[in-house]
């Protein structure tokens, strides 16, 4: 899930095809040595040599105090170190680390980037799989604080098919006028039902009807706080993998598609109205509610999900920042279980865009990232996000 995007490879076939895997891994490793650029915060430190080579380093963290039904806890759920650079205008790289929930630091992104023109570019390595806006924006570039209460794609489901929205593979992306595209092939589910090493295919296509969204690569944001003027963007994302769900004894297929929308309007008085919405449909032969009879299952959601978020950024500063209240509604409707929902009422205090903000939010409901109903609880959060 996320906008700041190691292990390499696309396909992992058996027998005679193993040599192809070795060739692919070697090529990607070489590309990383040569160069590979995910977005860095605006305050990141940049170094530049006399011949134009650059290196930038930055960091980000999110901290929160959370009370769930009266049980309180303070956590640092996400600490990141960002690094990127370029050898020339074409060959670039990204290497990001992340520590989650006080666990060990892991490679978040490791991308070799070959950026030939606005119309056509190639990224290879560990990166975000093209998906819907909330997964491409991630927590740092989201509008709300608790956005992951919908069913998520496979690379956001615990590690067997990627982690934190990332997977190893290759993505082709670019723009043509106001049209943006990103399409790639990835490992997807490794093992379990996928004994033939079928790849995961992923794509995202977006059209900017008003002003163009400005993000590095094929990433997205869920608000620009009015900084890009009036925006209205519609996007379609698709993912599929043969044998992408099930157990070793019982293989099933997965496919999913999403339509998402972002509208941002700057009013004459200077306030900003932001509306974000999404419809998501998943088709999985095996789910958390309908698992195979035998074997450990990598199971996903089957059904439909929708959400809508509305926010208003007040024009006047209060101290160093501006207030942005918002309301977010989520409804998950699995085909093989009861529906779930959640309501989030929040208030952002935006000091420096996505680089510095505070959040106070209250969430009530039983919706969660699996798409199936969890405990029906009330959650009060006070969060802080800093990138530099």
């Amino acid at each position: 899930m996320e906008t700041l995007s190691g292990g390499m490879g696309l396909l992992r076939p058996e027998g005679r095809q193993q040599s192809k895997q070795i060739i692919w891994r070697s090529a990607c490793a070489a590309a990383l040595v040569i160069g590979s650029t995910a977005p860095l915060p605006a305050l990141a430190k940049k170094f530049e040599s006399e011949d134009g080579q650059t290196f930038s380093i930055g960091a980000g963290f999110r901290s929160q105090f959370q009370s769930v039904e009266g049980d309180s806890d303070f956590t640092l759920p996400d600490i990141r170190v960002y690094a990127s650079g370029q050898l020339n205008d074409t060959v670039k790289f990204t290497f990001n680390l992340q520590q989650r929930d006080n666990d060990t630091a892991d490679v978040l992104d490791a991308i070799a980037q070959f950026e030939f023109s606005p119309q056509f570019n190639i990224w290879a390595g560990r990166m975000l799989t093209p998906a819907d806006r909330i997964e491409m924006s991630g927590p740092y570039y989201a509008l709300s604080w608790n956005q992951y209460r919908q069913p998520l794609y496979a690379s956001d489901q615990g590690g067997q098919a990627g982690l934190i929205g990332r997977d190893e593979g290759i993505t082709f992306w670019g723009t043509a006028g106001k049209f943006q595209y990103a399409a790639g092939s990835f490992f997807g589910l490794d093992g379990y039902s996928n004994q033939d090493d079928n790849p995961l295919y992923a794509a995202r296509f977006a059209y900017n009807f008003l002003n163009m969204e400005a993000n590095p690569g094929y990433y997205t944001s869920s608000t620009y706080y009015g900084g890009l003027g009036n925006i209205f963007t519609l996007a379609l994302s698709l993912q599929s993998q043969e044998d992408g769900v099930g157990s070793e004894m019982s293989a099933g297929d997965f496919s999913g598609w999403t339509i998402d929308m972002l509208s941002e309007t700057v009013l004459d008085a200077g306030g900003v109205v932001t509306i974000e919405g999404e419809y998501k449909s998943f088709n999985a032969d095996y789910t958390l509610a309908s698992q195979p009879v035998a074997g450990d299952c990598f199971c996903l959601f089957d059904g439909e999900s929708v959400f809508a978020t509305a926010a208003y950024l007040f024009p006047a500063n209060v101290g160093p920042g501006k207030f942005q209240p918002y309301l977010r509604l989520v409804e998950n409707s699995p085909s093989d279980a009861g529906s779930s929902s959640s309501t989030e009422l929040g208030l952002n205090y935006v000091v420096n865009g996505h680089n510095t903000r505070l959040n106070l939010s209250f969430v009530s409901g039983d919706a969660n990232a699996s798409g199936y109903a969890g405990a029906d609880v009330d959650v009060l959060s006070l969060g802080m996000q800093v990138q530099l």
Side-chain angles (χ1 to χ4, degrees), residues 97-347:
L97 299 175
Q98 180 187 44
Q99 183 187 48
R100 301 173 64 219
D101 299 320
N102 298 318
D103 201 352
T104 58
D106 298 311
V107 174
L108 182 65
D109 305 286
I111 315 172
Q113 299 173 223
F114 301 94
E115 301 186 359
F116 303 104
S117 70
Q119 292 77 29
F120 182 73
N121 306 275
I122 302 173
W123 287 7
R126 179 176 178 81
M127 73 199 83
L128 283 166
T129 59
D132 55 321
R133 183 177 294 272
I134 63 168
E135 296 195 49
M136 300 304 297
S137 297
Y140 283 88
Y141 292 82
L143 174 58
S144 64
W145 190 262
N146 295 285
Q147 68 170 352
Y148 299 117
R149 295 182 178 272
Q150 281 190 284
L152 301 178
Y153 283 104
S155 57
D156 265 319
Q157 295 291 345
Q160 297 92 339
L163 189 64
I164 322 175
R166 273 81 173 171
D167 198 3
E168 289 82 39
I170 188 167
T171 298
F172 305 90
W173 64 270
T175 62
K178 292 192 173 185
F179 174 75
Q180 298 169 301
Y181 74 91
S185 177
F186 299 85
F187 276 2
L189 179 62
D190 183 16
Y192 287 79
S193 55
N194 190 20
Q195 298 299 305
D196 294 330
D197 296 306
N198 298 302
L200 170 78
Y201 298 107
R204 176 180 174 83
F205 307 100
Y207 189 80
N208 300 258
F209 289 88
L210 301 177
N211 293 340
M212 286 287 293
E213 294 187 51
N215 297 290
Y218 57 94
Y219 300 121
T220 66
S221 297
S222 291
T223 179
Y224 299 92
Y225 306 111
L228 298 181
N230 295 333
I231 290 172
F232 182 74
T233 303
L234 289 177
L236 170 68
S237 61
L238 308 139
Q239 289 194 15
S240 67
Q241 185 174 25
E242 184 180 353
D243 297 340
V245 292
S247 67
E248 187 173 351
M249 286 75 79
S250 301
D253 300 334
F254 166 76
S255 63
W257 61 275
T258 306
I259 295 177
D260 62 71
M261 178 273 293
L262 178 67
S263 171
E264 194 150 89
T265 303
V266 181
L267 304 179
D268 291 340
V272 181
V273 176
T274 303
I275 299 174
E276 181 186 17
E278 177 176 292
Y279 170 83
K280 178 177 286 185
S281 177
F282 279 5
N283 186 346
D285 290 340
Y286 292 103
T287 75
L288 294 173
S290 305
Q291 300 192 20
V293 175
D296 294 331
C297 181
F298 181 80
C299 290
L300 294 173
F301 173 87
D302 185 279
E304 301 174 335
S305 175
V306 295
F307 85 80
T309 309
Y312 178 71
L313 182 70
F314 283 93
N317 275 54
V318 179
K322 298 179 180 180
F323 285 110
Q324 184 188 47
Y326 64 86
L327 174 66
R328 180 182 182 86
L329 304 174
V330 176
E331 180 80 21
N332 299 326
S333 302
S335 62
D336 51 0
S339 63
S340 63
S341 63
S342 71
T343 300
E344 178 179 354
L345 183 62
L347 178 65

